[in-house]
Amino acid sequence: MTDAEIRSLFPELMNERDGRRMVYLDSAATSQRPSEVIEAVGSFYANDNANPHRGTYLEAEKATEVYEEARNRTASFIGAESRDVIFTRNTSEAMNLLAYTWGAENVGAGDRVVITIMEHHSNLLPWQRLCRMKGAELVYLYLNDSFEITDSEIEEKINADTKLVAFTHVSNVLGVMPPVGKIISRAKETGAVTVMDCAQSVPHMKVDVNELGADFIAFSGHKMFAPFGIGALWGRDELLESMPPFLSGGDMIEYVREQDATWAPLPQKFEAGTQDPGAAAGLLAAISFMERIGMDVIAQRERDVYDYALSRLSELDHVEVYGPADRERFGAIPFNVKDVHPHDTATVLSADRVCVRAGHHCAQPLLKSMGLNSCCRISFSVYNSREDVDLLCDSLKKVRGRLGL
Amino acid sequence: MELDELYTQVITENSRSREHRYQMQAPSVVKEGVNPSCGDEITLQLELDGDVIKDAAFIGDGCAISQASANIMIDLILGKTVEEAKALSGTFMGMIKGEVTDEDSLESLEDAQAFQGISHMPSRVKCAVLGWHTLEEALKGKDGNT
Ligand SMILES: [Zn+2]
């Protein structure tokens, strides 16, 4: 498919304002949605709308079918069993679920939770709160000057006191991957459970839970072409079985008596109250979309645009690109225009309909460790093209002038 | 809003001005202001002599809008009484909300009128009011009325 053909599948990218199309470079924040996802949500409400898992009439059964089909497809998309896939609202909710169930039961005073300095706040704050509540220690794996987590860092920090290691698959700021295999094998050695934030990987590359080897992974639908408000947590069956429920309410019970209750089997145990089958219908369509385009095609298109952007940006005077130059990176590129605050850069770019993110990207400790308060970030998806990068660079050349420099 | 109206010479020059940007020796009031959404920060320092703002300075890190607005604000409040400074702040906030539009009131804001158009850019309003908001916090309870 050509760039224009792919772009044409996304209605938001076809909207012209002032005769200009949007150059969307903020997919790490949320992706644009293809028509088929938008239509799937509409079609659910037009044709299948009822509360799933309740009622015996046709629509209720159709709603249940859509919801469970979405779960089956999500499971097969990541090489998992359906009963081990729990729908959440997003990655943050998945991490909170883990902190308040597995964490609350297994982490105690004097124990360690290890995370990396690259974590998004959603994979940082739940652990920080858990550690403060329990008197446990939150320990960071830091990056060296080449943005690497060294073997000795891993061996030193992940020790016998470590109960849980939580880390991102791909940094939402730097676009780098930590040494996944090394972290997981070290955690296995010391008996720690591993949790991976896959919000920035599942949309862009083939992720298979069996190959990764982690105990839990979480990701958000809205970053992979699906609607807002639905995400997934996958966990090892025996761990999920051993955990208490997170939220309590309708649908997650087996039997309720006046003073106690027994819980529904997996995955319902973790899905209290009415769920969002409309969003699930959208997620189902999003996964079909990704499989139809092909994860290899998605990855290869993004690789091309990413590398092109890195080289174009490095040619620009007054643009400082952060992160390693000598390693494979994915999804996001952080940068600044010299002497210009990132907000002002983003505002000037937005006048040309070039959409980038400016700020701390919900990764404040990482930015502080890089000596920055904030930066601009561009991030890609399958619909981006080299032309988008060219338009970005044209617009970037105007920034300093606009600020009177 | 057009960029020319946003990044006027008044704003870009004030954003880089060093005039009021320094650490004061012994300020009588120090107040920090932060924009959590975008990370703009300023630390406002005031030296009060009775109810007169005898000296004022700030240090900060943030976008051109937030830094220029703080610098222009200090120009305006130097030598004013606490009550006059609060009145100016009320006028500035009113202008940003589009509630204060009469020429005489706007005149009193001098260079700070440069931010009038920002009300059309909701994402940048916080930047423009950060300095003034911090001033209001710093002056709370300083004139005996509040
Ligand atoms: Zn700002």
Side-chain angles (χ1 to χ4, degrees), chain A residues 341 343-344, chain B residues 35 37-41 61-67 123-128 130:
Chain A
H341 192 274
H343 289 157
D344 298 311
Chain B
N35 240 340
S37 58
C38 52
D40 297 329
E41 309 174 344
D61 178 68
C63 65
I65 306 299
S66 66
Q67 304 301 298
S123 67
R124 304 305 299 272
V125 164
K126 281 189 195 139
C127 311
L130 177 64

Side-chain angles (χ1 to χ4, degrees), chain A residues 107-114 131-132 134-139 159 161:
Chain A
V107 175
D111 288 340
R112 248 178 202 208
V113 171
V114 177
C131 287
R132 292 181 69 105
K134 296 284 182 172
E137 194 188 358
L138 184 63
V139 175
N159 62 12
D161 296 331

Side-chain angles (χ1 to χ4, degrees), chain A residues 214-226:
Chain A
D215 295 312
F216 295 99
I217 79 163
F219 51 97
S220 295
H222 74 95
K223 290 181 165 65
M224 51 185 280
F225 314 113

